[in-house]
Amino acid sequence: MKITILTLFPEMFAPLRESIIGRAAAGGKLEISVVNIRDYSEDRHSKCDDYPFGGGAGMVMMPQPIASAIEAVDLDHSARRIFMSPGGAVFTQSKALELSSCPHLLLLCGHYEGVDQRVIDMFIDEEISIGDYVLTGGELPAMVVCDAVARYVDGVLAPGSLVDESFADGALEYPQYTRPAVFRGAAVPEVLLSGNHRKIDLWRREESRRITRLRRPDLPGAK
């Protein structure tokens, strides 16, 4: 799978070279390309933003550098083009799974007061938000989408890692424990030490439902 990220601040994506995602990219399971939009500006000072028509605070990203960057990396429109925006549909686990089947994702990161609407109308397939709040730019949301989608790419995680996790079955995940069996007087639930896998599975399902009812009663798994 290939993910292309268009941004004014490519240095912000250094974390994607670390941990599981970094190893997946190094191992050829995943290709992540970070493209500097400024490289495609036709302005002699690589200017990419200007004052908004109609007045108002802040600056707006100009359409030309973005359009040129998109055409350079996806001229045939084979990529799923996504604009990271607080006005988009809220990102979910099911959306991450859906996007993981796309051979090529293109993520556009806005900044400042936003992006000229014309380039969105002409070049973008959908808008995605990671929650009902506003950030200074789309870089952090793009990293969130990269991480969540990459987990479903073949070979990035062991298959068992995707089973029984939060949201996989409309519920939150059960609590996890490891050594030592007693830590500062707090013991691991006895059933997890029993070796009885039927009882362990039952305990995990019950804990998953309990936690979901307590924290996310809106989810199907709370019922």
Side-chain angles (χ1 to χ4, degrees):
M1 181 183 195
K2 180 178 181 180
I3 301 176
T4 303
I5 302 166
L6 304 186
T7 175
L8 294 175
F9 302 97
E11 297 83 3
M12 290 185 66
F13 291 89
L16 294 180
R17 298 195 292 267
E18 305 298 329
S19 189
I20 294 170
I21 305 303
R23 290 197 298 272
K29 309 293 184 185
L30 182 67
E31 180 184 346
I32 299 178
S33 300
V34 181
V35 176
N36 191 338
I37 297 171
R38 297 181 197 277
D39 292 342
Y40 295 88
S41 174
E42 294 175 357
D43 180 83
R44 63 192 180 98
H45 300 297
S46 299
K47 183 178 174 64
C48 289
D49 62 306
D50 211 330
Y51 294 103
F53 282 125
M59 306 290 277
V60 175
M61 290 177 65
M62 300 160 65
Q64 178 275 312
I66 297 172
S68 296
I70 292 175
E71 288 175 334
V73 300
D74 186 36
L75 185 58
D76 62 353
H77 202 153
S78 60
R80 180 85 160 263
R81 300 173 177 179
I82 299 169
F83 174 43
M84 305 309 305
S85 162
V90 176
F91 189 57
T92 62
Q93 195 77 8
S94 60
K95 173 58 76 169
L97 178 59
E98 174 195 331
L99 294 179
S100 70
S101 65
C102 299
H104 186 190
L105 294 181
L106 185 151
L107 307 180
L108 170 62
C109 304
H111 221 84
Y112 311 121
E113 288 301 310
V115 169
D116 188 296
Q117 184 64 39
R118 291 168 294 182
V119 80
I120 298 173
D121 294 340
M122 293 177 186
F123 291 93
I124 297 300
D125 298 319
E126 65 178 305
E127 298 183 37
I128 287 180
S129 165
I130 63 166
D132 295 337
Y133 48 88
V134 179
L135 300 172
T136 55
E139 285 76 18
L140 293 176
M143 280 188 269
V144 168
V145 170
C146 281
D147 192 286
V149 170
R151 298 175 73 255
Y152 285 107
V153 175
D154 285 346
V156 173
L157 294 180
S161 298
L162 299 172
V163 178
D164 292 336
E165 64 180 0
S166 289
F167 307 110
D169 194 27
L172 301 181
E173 189 176 8
Y174 48 79
Q176 298 278 11
Y177 298 88
T178 188
R179 291 189 174 94
V182 178
F183 175 67
R184 296 187 179 181
V188 171
E190 218 173 292
V191 64
L192 298 180
L193 308 176
S194 68
N196 188 321
H197 294 290
R198 186 183 66 81
K199 289 185 177 180
I200 290 172
D201 288 344
L202 179 61
W203 178 87
R204 285 175 169 170
R205 287 197 300 271
E206 289 174 347
E207 282 295 292
S208 175
R209 283 194 294 269
R210 180 185 67 80
I211 291 172
T212 305
R213 284 194 297 268
L214 179 65
R215 301 178 186 172
R216 292 293 304 274
D218 57 302
L219 292 176
K223 298 177 176 61

